[in-house]
Amino acid sequence: MTNKLFVKIAAFSIAISIVFGAFGAHALKDHFSSYYMDIWNKGIFYQIINSLGIIALVLLEKSEFVKKVKVCCILLIIGVVFFSGSLYTIAIMKTFYTEINSVVKLMIPITPLGGTMLIVGWMLVPFKVK
């Protein structure tokens, strides 16, 4: 993966999170309980913050402040997909498909796995500073 691809993925991820934010605020607000709206919004928040972080890492690498952030960016991308994706899935499934518990049971361990990938991705960054 190249830095250009990381920026493209991150920008697309930010756009998607804005769409999800608008969708949640308008189409889902009457369906979600406040608890599931909080879960939905937490997914959006982490997706935007980490996507902006990926762009920042690429820029820091380009300015030669950090070196070789490829592994960090990959961990962050996968972490966002797992963490935010599982939160979106849990909120939707618990609200609209309460009888389908197997999907939610699958997502519950994926959430902390994604969070762990985000943490590890960011914990590697100090070791990349020149």
Side-chain angles (χ1 to χ4, degrees), residues 25 43 48 80 97 106 108 120 129:
I48 289 174
V80 164
Y97 305 102
L106 176 67
I108 290 172
V120 171
V129 176

Side-chain angles (χ1 to χ4, degrees), residues 26 38 107 118:
H26 299 289
D38 286 345
M107 291 296 119
L118 294 172

Side-chain angles (χ1 to χ4, degrees), residues 18-29:
I18 293 168
V19 169
F20 281 10
F23 186 64
H26 299 289
L28 299 175
K29 70 177 180 178

